[in-house]
Every structure is written in C-alpha cells, then in structure tokens.
C-alpha cells in the first residue's frame, strides 16, 4: 500500500507563566475562533477524500494458488506479485512501456542455476485464449546468487516484451515461473523464435526435462483505456477518444 499523508497545521500553546497575549477574548470571539478551527478541519478532510490514495488490490483467491515465493518490482509501484496493477497514477499505461521488472527469488540456492519464464495465458483474452501462451520474457542460465538479489543476468532467449493487453479484452494474467535448470544448453526452436504467441510451454519444458517450478507468481492488468477513470474522461467532453489499439 502506498501511504497517504494529510496536511496539518501546527498550533503553539502559550507557556504557563508567560506574558498574556492581550485582553481576554469575549465569548463571541471564542466562538468565532472555534468555528474557524472546525471549518479548517472539515476542509482538510474533504481534500483528503478528493485525493484518494492509490489502492493495491490483491488477486482473487482462485488466482493466488500460484503465488509462491517470487517478488516482481516495477518502477513507482513496487512489488506487484499477486496484485492487480492499480489504475491510479496512470500505472496501467506506464507498465506498457517500462523496462523489465526486478524479479527476486529469496529462496534461490546460491550455487544453483535457474531459468525465468514470463507468459500471458490470456492472449488475446481470458475467455478465448487462442494464442496461449504469449511469451513475454525468457532467460536461462541465471545464477541463484543473482536471482536472490533480483539481478537477472543470463542467456536472454526472448527479449522482454511489456504487458500490453488489447482493448476490451478484460484483465490478463502475467505469470512468472522460475525453474531449476538441469545441465545442458536451453534454446528455442527456429519455429518458436518466429512468434511469441501460441507457445507450447509444456512441450518446451518437457524437451529440457524441466520439472515443477521452484517459485511462481502473477499479477493482473487490463488496457488502460478500459479502466473506469479513462472511460469517465472520454465521456466528459474534454478529452477526445484515443483510437490507438495495443497488441
């Protein structure tokens, strides 16, 4: 959660024994002062309600089953593992062009070698995933000592592709898996390199005898144009509708 701060004011009381500030105020003057203070408090609370804090919502229970041991950090947002990307601060648009996140696996063994996979199982939509799995990132030969610190160095088989869910396709899951890599060279077949979509993840894992993931997690986001805030902006007559469509 991103904490929010509420501006306040400092009031200095007169110290005991200090010289009087002036003549004693009348009852009417005291009432005016109290009313002014109360009005100030009301104005502060109203301002805080209008500027709502950025809310980080956890995934539904059915989507938290695979949230095991991985941390995923993006700029400004922090760790989004097992979360919905907030729609505040334009995060759902920013994540479409930010560079690769910092992925940490605190439970990694220092002398082991790992492989990191990031996929979208909901391409082009969760209801009709015809292009499952969309391969967003694939890095092999990562040292456990580096993975513990979020230093993803290894053989990048697929360059990072930011989450870019198409408009009107709802929320997409972006899943991260870390596998303990056995001896041997991991590579993609020529036909796998031709496209990111419709990747047969199970066949790839079987080909290199990769078993169950050592750690995994996911976050969810949707196209920023589909968020309630964006739709409200389109309907207020001030902002023209953005016709850009993302992959």
């Amino acid at each position: 959660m991103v904490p929010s701060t509420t501006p306040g004011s400092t009031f200095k009381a007169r110290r005991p024994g200090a010289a009087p500030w002036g003549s004693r105020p009348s009852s009417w003057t005291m009432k005016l002062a109290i009313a002014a203070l109360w009005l100030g408090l009301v104005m502060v609370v109203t301002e805080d309600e209008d500027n709502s804090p950025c809310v980080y919502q956890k995934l539904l229970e059915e989507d938290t089953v695979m949230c095991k041991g991985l941390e995923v950090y993006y700029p400004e947002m922090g760790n989004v593992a097992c979360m919905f990307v907030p729609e505040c601060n334009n995060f759902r648009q920013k994540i479409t062009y930010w560079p690769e996140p910092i992925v940490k696996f605190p439970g990694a063994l220092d002398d082991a070698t790992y492989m990191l996979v990031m996929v979208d199982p909901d391409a082009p939509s969760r209801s009709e995933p015809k292009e499952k799995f969309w391969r967003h990132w694939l890095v092999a030969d990562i040292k456990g000592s580096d993975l513990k610190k979020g230093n993803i160095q290894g053989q990048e088989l697929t360059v990072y592709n930011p989450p870019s869910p198409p408009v009107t396709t709802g929320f997409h899951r972006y899943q991260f898996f870390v596998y303990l890599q056995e001896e041997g060279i991991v590579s993609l077949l020529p036909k796998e390199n031709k496209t990111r979509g419709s990747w047969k993840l199970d066949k790839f894992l079987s080909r290199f005898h990769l078993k169950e993931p050592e750690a995994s997690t996911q976050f969810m986001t949707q196209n920023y144009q589909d968020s309630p805030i964006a739709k409200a902006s389109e309907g207020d007559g001030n902002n023209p509708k953005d016709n850009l469509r993302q992959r």
Side-chain angles (χ1 to χ4, degrees):
M1 272 276 196
V2 178
S4 62
T5 57
T6 303
S9 59
T10 303
F11 176 76
K12 295 183 179 180
R14 184 169 66 89
R15 292 174 298 174
W21 290 324
S23 60
R24 184 171 181 173
S26 65
S27 175
W28 176 246
T29 304
M30 288 294 294
K31 289 180 179 180
L32 284 177
I34 292 173
L37 286 173
W38 175 249
L39 179 59
L41 289 174
V42 171
M43 289 175 67
V44 168
V45 172
T46 302
E47 182 181 3
D48 185 57
E49 289 177 351
D50 290 341
N51 296 281
S52 302
C54 198
V55 177
Y56 284 61
Q57 183 182 355
K58 292 185 177 180
L59 298 183
L60 300 177
E61 186 175 356
E62 63 192 63
D63 290 312
T64 62
V65 177
M66 61 169 295
C67 298
K68 299 177 181 178
L70 275 188
E71 302 169 6
V72 179
Y73 295 87
Y74 279 95
E76 300 181 37
M77 288 194 298
N79 186 12
V80 294
C82 225
M83 298 283 183
F84 287 94
V85 171
E87 61 178 324
C88 55
N89 297 329
N90 211 22
F91 284 150
R92 292 180 183 174
Q93 182 179 14
K94 290 178 179 178
I95 200 172
T96 65
Y97 56 77
W98 273 334
E100 65 271 8
I102 294 173
V103 180
K104 291 184 180 181
F105 177 28
L109 302 175
D110 288 343
D111 57 350
T113 303
Y114 296 90
M115 182 182 69
L116 171 65
V117 178
M118 176 187 175
V119 292
D120 174 5
D122 303 322
S125 69
R126 192 165 183 173
S127 59
E128 296 185 12
K130 299 176 182 178
E131 296 182 51
K132 174 184 179 178
F133 290 89
W134 185 273
R135 192 173 66 254
H136 279 266
W137 199 18
L138 179 60
V139 186
D141 302 329
I142 306 170
K143 294 181 180 179
S145 55
D146 287 334
L147 188 55
K148 288 175 72 171
K149 298 179 291 186
N151 185 18
I152 306 301
Q153 292 190 7
Q155 183 185 9
E156 192 171 55
L157 301 175
T158 300
V159 177
Y160 177 74
N161 174 220
S164 301
V167 292
T168 68
T169 60
F171 280 93
H172 286 231
R173 294 167 291 173
Y174 292 91
Q175 301 178 335
F176 295 77
F177 302 96
V178 165
Y179 295 91
L180 186 61
Q181 193 175 315
E182 303 291 341
E183 294 183 5
I185 299 175
V186 176
S187 61
L188 291 169
L189 297 174
K191 64 179 181 179
E192 290 176 304
N193 266 320
K194 289 181 179 180
T195 178
R196 293 175 181 261
S198 302
W199 186 38
K200 308 302 181 184
L201 178 57
D202 290 343
K203 291 184 177 180
F204 171 81
L205 296 174
S206 177
R207 194 161 74 239
F208 296 103
H209 309 289
L210 296 169
K211 302 177 182 178
E212 292 296 315
E214 297 294 305
S216 60
T217 195
Q218 64 180 348
F219 66 81
M220 294 177 65
T221 188
Q222 65 176 350
N223 189 287
Y224 71 94
Q225 295 177 84
D226 294 333
S227 69
I229 292 178
K231 289 182 177 180
S233 297
E234 291 174 357
D236 64 9
N238 295 324
N239 297 319
K241 186 173 181 179
D242 187 350
N243 291 319
L244 294 177
R245 295 294 179 265
Q246 294 177 297
R247 165 50 240 146

